[in-house]
Amino acid sequence: MGSTTRPELAGTHGMVASTHWLASAAGMAVLEEDGNAFDAAVAAGFVLQVVEPHLNGPGGELPVLFAAPGGPVRALCGQGPVPAGATVEHFRDELGLELIPGSGLLPATVPGAWDGWLSLLRDHGTKRLDEVLRFAIGYARDGFPVVPRLSETIATVRELFRAWWPSSARTWLRDGAVPAPGTRLRNPALAATWQRLLRAAEEAGGDRDRRIDAARRAWSQGFVAEAVDRFVRHPVADSSGRSHPGVLTGQDMATYAASYEEPVTLPTPEGGRLAKFGPWCQGPVLLQQLRLLEELPVEYRDGVATPETVHHAVEAAKLAFADREAHYGDSADPGVLPELLATGYTDARRELIGERAAATLRPGSPGGHLPRLPDFVAEGRGAGVPPDPSGVGLGEPTVSPNGDSRGDTVHLDVVDRWGNMVSATPSGGWLQSSPVIEELGFCLGTRAQMCWLREGLPNSLVPGRRPRSTLSPSLLTRGDDPVLAFGTPGGDQQDQWQLCFWLAHARGGLDLQAAIDAPAWHTTAFPASFYPRGWQPRRVLVESRLGADAVERLRRRGHEVTDAGPWALGRLSAVGRDPDTGMLRGAANARGAQGYAVGR
């Protein structure tokens, strides 16, 4: 494949890798000020809300995996639940919907990112809230450079803003025009919201923890919740083709708090344990894929996966994601995950991987748990429907003019000189999928679109339950030490692109940067998590750097291969640490000319 796009960074003080250089720089600035990895992650996370508003925002959600040397991996869940008023009866019977819209106010869940970041800062950081929030406030108040994809996203939904969402038009258009790449864009209303939250913290007095908790209350029980409650009462246009008010209330926000939970971990043949969030989200599909591939050949030649490796990985993904559709969700049987990862079940599923591309959705029955599928899937109504408007999914948002978005997320990884490690995949609150609450400077998330409008499924729409999120950070430990944190944006592709990275790094022997740069692939052979929930049973997207011969050999196996271009799939970042030497490493994706790792 030749040299990498960038060197793998190495140092001893700290590493920050993320999907935007300004966030990475802010996180590193905190490390230089003797902050730890948790402080740096919070600072970088808030900057991402400003500089990548098409990929995440204050009204979104936050899953974080983290660990300190000598301690277990912990999971902090900042994914807000479905509101109390969001019932199947209301959506399906009263509103006549078959699918939850992908835009507007109806799919809003309780915003969880603010409480998640502040909980991480309070419990594990060392800095005051104003010390980590100042970078984001400065960019929101004074402006930040518009990246090309942000400009393209605003251009796609410009007419929606003009016709139906005037608050978004006033926030994101400049004299009615789309901000050009490289120009400076400001969001003074968001800066003012954060400054007001900081004043609430200062007025509370007391120690650092007391002030952070006061800022949490000002959000969930104060002026932010009051503004959200007022705004959602007014109908707005959404992707159903009609206008609806939302169902989220201030009371929903007042009763929510981010929570800690135990991750699921899997020993790997390469050594160590890989941690993911549990099956309320899609996280364990990476573990299932790795188990399926344990006894199948994986080979890299000159940094490129062989066509046989790609074939096996794609077929493993089909089986794992079929199980995701049938068995994952916040209402899933808690006993199903051990069965999904059990040796006997994995061995039986591996036997289904043949020489030809499978053309049907094949969920299994782990431990006798029968698959439960929505009628929309069981009857094949989404089969053949493109799962995103572009058909590619770049790890950037694929956006329709009505505001529907897929594959839109950010990611960050941090390791400090003490060995603390953080992996986070914030998302939601995208500027293109819900109108701006003008007095706050941000919009609500639309994560509830991932739930099904049928009772009794693992991922049914149920008040108080979390939607089955695609957000999926990863963290590897060896012994009692965290050694690798990684992740990517990309919606349903997140745990496929992470598989590409893992295979290249752990089994192909490539360093972090080379593994990120290695040609990637994914399949769309299972129902998409995003509206309109389509899938294409044999379709595989590959980067052309796999080689023309590899593409032809995949086609001969029955795959419908689409060449996505040489540098199109994935936006991974990663940081690592060698516990024996204390050496730190970092790398970030060059695709899209946006992600960067920094460190020393």
Side-chain angles (χ1 to χ4, degrees), residues 398-419:
T398 50
V399 182
S400 295
N402 65 5
D404 288 341
S405 297
R406 284 149 220 101
D408 29 29
T409 311
V410 298
H411 184 80
L412 64 95
D413 301 293
V414 186
V415 61
D416 63 29
R417 65 185 185 274
W418 300 287

Side-chain angles (χ1 to χ4, degrees), residues 86-444:
T87 64
V88 170
E89 179 184 22
H90 175 63
F91 280 68
R92 186 187 64 196
D93 301 336
E94 296 176 13
L95 300 180
L97 298 172
E98 180 184 40
L99 298 173
I100 298 172
S103 64
L105 299 175
L106 280 177
T109 53
V110 178
W114 174 259
D115 205 71
W117 283 127
L118 266 64
S119 296
L120 186 70
L121 179 68
R122 180 197 62 194
D123 299 338
H124 302 281
T126 65
K127 297 291 186 179
R128 301 189 312 270
L129 179 57
D130 64 301
E131 292 178 303
V132 296
L133 195 52
R134 62 188 174 92
F135 304 95
I137 289 176
Y139 285 124
R141 181 191 61 229
D142 303 327
F144 60 94
V146 174
V147 294
R149 189 57 189 161
L150 171 57
S151 181
E152 293 166 12
T153 300
I154 296 174
T156 301
V157 292
R158 171 177 48 192
E159 296 310 315
L160 170 67
F161 288 177
R162 288 173 170 172
W164 301 107
W165 296 357
S167 62
S168 294
R170 289 188 290 269
T171 301
W172 301 114
L173 300 178
R174 292 296 171 262
D175 297 322
V178 174
T183 60
R184 184 179 288 193
L185 186 61
R186 298 175 175 86
N187 188 347
L190 177 56
T193 293
W194 279 331
Q195 289 169 326
R196 187 173 174 184
L197 288 164
L198 287 179
R199 286 197 297 273
E202 291 305 306
E203 290 168 359
D207 61 14
R208 187 186 76 104
D209 291 1
R210 178 184 174 90
R211 295 184 183 200
I212 291 174
D213 283 337
R216 294 172 63 215
R217 289 191 300 273
W219 175 284
S220 64
Q221 301 172 33
F223 76 96
V224 173
E226 292 168 359
V228 169
D229 190 284
R230 288 192 300 270
F231 187 83
V232 299
R233 297 172 186 270
H234 302 284
V236 303
D238 58 42
S239 54
S240 71
R242 292 179 282 160
S243 294
H244 298 102
V247 294
L248 178 66
T249 67
Q251 182 60 31
D252 291 316
M253 295 179 63
T255 56
Y256 171 75
S259 59
Y260 293 97
E261 58 190 60
E262 294 301 315
V264 56
T265 65
L266 182 75
T268 69
E270 298 80 15
R273 299 189 70 89
L274 182 60
K276 302 289 288 186
F277 272 86
W280 66 265
C281 71
Q282 77 173 22
V285 294
L286 179 59
L287 306 182
Q288 282 194 258
Q289 292 172 91
L290 292 178
R291 291 235 56 200
L292 288 165
L293 291 170
E294 282 177 4
E295 298 182 15
L296 292 173
V298 171
E299 185 179 2
Y300 277 71
R301 297 174 184 168
D302 297 324
V304 180
T306 64
E308 291 76 16
T309 296
V310 177
H311 171 74
H312 290 141
V314 166
E315 295 306 297
K318 291 178 182 178
L319 294 173
F321 279 87
D323 280 343
R324 180 197 74 166
E325 200 55 54
H327 300 292
Y328 287 30
D330 208 16
S331 299
D333 186 324
V336 73
L337 182 60
E339 299 292 346
L340 286 165
L341 297 174
T343 299
Y345 180 72
T346 300
D347 290 345
R349 295 288 275 170
R350 191 183 297 115
E351 291 296 320
L352 298 177
I353 298 177
E355 294 300 311
R356 299 283 298 171
T360 58
L361 193 71
R362 298 180 293 176
S365 299
H369 293 86
L370 297 177
R372 291 180 288 166
L373 296 171
D375 295 340
F376 182 83
V377 174
E379 296 170 4
R381 275 179 271 161
V385 176
D388 63 61
S390 72
V392 176
L394 305 181
E396 299 279 6
T398 50
V399 182
S400 295
N402 65 5
D404 288 341
S405 297
R406 284 149 220 101
D408 29 29
T409 311
V410 298
H411 184 80
L412 64 95
D413 301 293
V414 186
V415 61
D416 63 29
R417 65 185 185 274
W418 300 287
N420 300 306
M421 192 171 287
V422 179
S423 181
T425 311
S427 189
W430 314 306
L431 68 86
Q432 64 272 17
S433 56
S434 187
V436 170
I437 304 172
E438 203 161 7
E439 63 185 287
L440 300 177
F442 65 83
C443 57
L444 297 172

